[in-house]
Amino acid sequence: MPWSGEQRGFVIEAFFKNAECVIATQRAFRTRFSLNPNESVPDRKTILNWVQNLRATGSAMPKKPVGRPKSVRIPENIAAVRTSIEQSPSRSARKHASALGISDRTVRRILHCDLKLHPYKIMVTQELSPTDWGKRKDCCNAILTVVPPNGIVWSSDEAHFHISGTVNKQNFRYWAAENPLKIHQRPLHSPKVTVWCALSSVGIVGPYFFEEGGVTVTVTSNRYCEMLENFLRPKIEEYENNNVFWFQQDGVTAHTARCSRAVLQKMFPGRLISLRENITWPPRSPDLSPCDYFLWGYLKAEVFKHRPRTIEELKEAIRQEISAIPLDMLAKVMENFRERLHMCVARQGNHLDHIIFKK
């Protein structure tokens, strides 16, 4: 409660008149200011603090703060902050405040309330060179021209799933009265599985785990060909039903080796979207691949909710989550695939700003 100067002066006078008795001072205060029993009076600590301040400074009023005076949102400060932000828009508010000699809180209030500015994050994307732009545009134009809107494209890729999963330290808390010193131990070389999948609007082929004797192995051209022959071919035949399929993959060495290309050319004659094939898939384009921009992120978010502890549990969780993806979700993903192709053409092969910034 804020006490007036008159009240403070009366308390100190009554304190000394009553032989420094706090209770007598409080009674005199209640009588002097006609307070009822429910209204508060200065407590013992407050009265003694006022007396101590009087003896130290000659005044019972609060001490004035020391140090630099608080800055206020005056026109001069607003103009100074605006100029500083225009010159260095990526500098932090704290550094602007230090350079201007204005409090950090005042600078932030000016930025939000007076200048109506917001601290937008810089998005990190894969670097594209000018030579990539034309390749991306040509590929997107070719797919839109050759593959009809109702055509079925199988988009394929591999990804690693580590048994350790991931921990977001910003969202992980342990509530307790005392610090339990909890840590999350992550092995240097966490066991993992290498998963291959192909998705389309009609379903998902996979998962296929690249392993030998239960141990994860590197994807080589021979192992990739074996997967195409023994796993992909029979699965695709189940979906055929007079449908014409296109097959898309990126340009990693195992995919584009001679033996791999030979197998795929027989399975999808004239309908390959890959490096050095009917339609050349551009490098550095995960934003155009449904597996990259949808499947792997979605799967990892769902799979690690199971908290798998062994490789077998991890593989079973991957199988469950893939089988649980509904067809209508896949249809929307592939609709978005064509939308991204149109955006890429409109952007002349450059980054898809509408996707990156979710406009």
Side-chain angles (χ1 to χ4, degrees), residues 17-185:
K17 282 184 178 180
N18 290 281
E20 301 186 1
C21 177
V22 172
I23 294 178
T25 302
Q26 291 172 327
R27 288 174 180 168
F29 184 91
R30 190 179 298 279
T31 301
R32 168 66 177 79
F33 293 99
S34 303
L35 302 180
N36 60 51
N38 295 327
E39 292 183 277
S40 63
V41 298
D43 58 20
R44 177 183 180 84
K45 183 178 180 180
T46 300
I47 292 174
L48 295 180
N49 280 340
W50 290 350
V51 173
Q52 183 179 0
N53 287 343
L54 177 68
R55 286 170 172 164
T57 66
S59 172
M61 299 302 292
K63 296 179 180 178
K64 293 184 179 180
V66 297
R68 185 177 61 186
K70 292 184 178 180
S71 299
V72 292
R73 288 157 51 194
I74 57 178
E76 292 81 2
N77 286 343
I78 295 174
V81 172
R82 177 185 287 109
T83 302
S84 182
I85 287 293
E86 289 175 352
Q87 292 176 350
S88 304
S90 61
R91 180 188 289 180
S92 68
R94 182 178 299 176
K95 289 185 177 180
H96 281 291
S98 177
L100 295 172
I102 304 174
S103 72
D104 180 56
R105 186 175 182 180
T106 298
V107 168
R108 293 181 186 277
R109 286 187 173 183
I110 290 175
L111 290 172
H112 287 285
C113 302
D114 299 299
L115 302 181
K116 309 298 182 184
L117 300 179
H118 303 277
Y120 293 105
K121 291 183 178 179
I122 296 177
M123 303 302 293
V124 179
T125 62
Q126 193 159 5
E127 183 181 7
L128 293 176
S129 65
T131 57
D132 293 330
W133 301 344
K135 295 176 182 178
R136 284 163 56 87
K137 179 183 176 182
D138 292 343
C139 174
C140 294
N141 267 326
I143 296 175
L144 292 171
T145 302
V146 177
V147 182
N150 59 348
I152 299 174
V153 176
W154 289 94
S155 175
S156 68
D157 199 11
E158 303 95 6
H160 300 306
F161 284 68
H162 291 262
I163 192 68
S164 62
T166 57
V167 172
N168 185 343
K169 295 187 294 182
Q170 296 301 324
N171 295 331
F172 185 81
R173 296 291 184 268
Y174 189 98
W175 292 91
E178 296 180 0
N179 188 347
L181 305 179
K182 286 282 185 180
I183 62 174
H184 174 77
Q185 299 186 78

Side-chain angles (χ1 to χ4, degrees), residues 274-293:
S274 181
L275 184 64
R276 296 189 295 272
E277 291 297 344
N278 311 104
I279 297 178
T280 301
W281 185 255
R284 294 172 286 279
S285 298
D287 55 341
L288 300 178
S289 171
C291 287
D292 285 314
Y293 68 72

Side-chain angles (χ1 to χ4, degrees), residues 301-340:
E302 297 300 316
V303 163
F304 289 111
K305 291 179 181 179
H306 296 260
R307 299 184 181 276
R309 297 181 180 274
T310 65
I311 288 294
E312 287 305 317
E313 290 180 3
L314 176 60
K315 290 161 64 175
E316 182 57 30
I318 293 172
R319 294 188 188 100
Q320 289 181 20
E321 294 303 331
I322 287 179
S323 63
I325 298 177
L327 283 178
D328 60 341
M329 181 181 291
L330 295 177
K332 291 179 180 178
V333 170
M334 297 314 293
E335 287 177 9
N336 183 250
F337 172 61
R338 293 191 71 89
E339 291 175 4
R340 286 170 181 252

Side-chain angles (χ1 to χ4, degrees), residues 232-287:
L232 177 61
R233 186 188 296 276
K235 293 289 185 180
I236 287 292
E237 290 174 354
E238 297 176 8
Y239 286 97
E240 280 185 346
N241 194 24
N242 297 323
N243 289 316
V244 177
F245 295 142
W246 288 75
F247 186 80
Q248 178 268 325
Q249 62 179 8
D250 59 26
V252 301
T253 304
H255 297 174
T256 57
R258 289 184 180 180
C259 60
S260 304
R261 294 175 60 197
V263 173
L264 288 170
Q265 287 166 358
K266 291 181 180 179
M267 294 176 61
F268 305 95
R271 301 188 304 277
L272 282 178
I273 306 173
S274 181
L275 184 64
R276 296 189 295 272
E277 291 297 344
N278 311 104
I279 297 178
T280 301
W281 185 255
R284 294 172 286 279
S285 298
D287 55 341

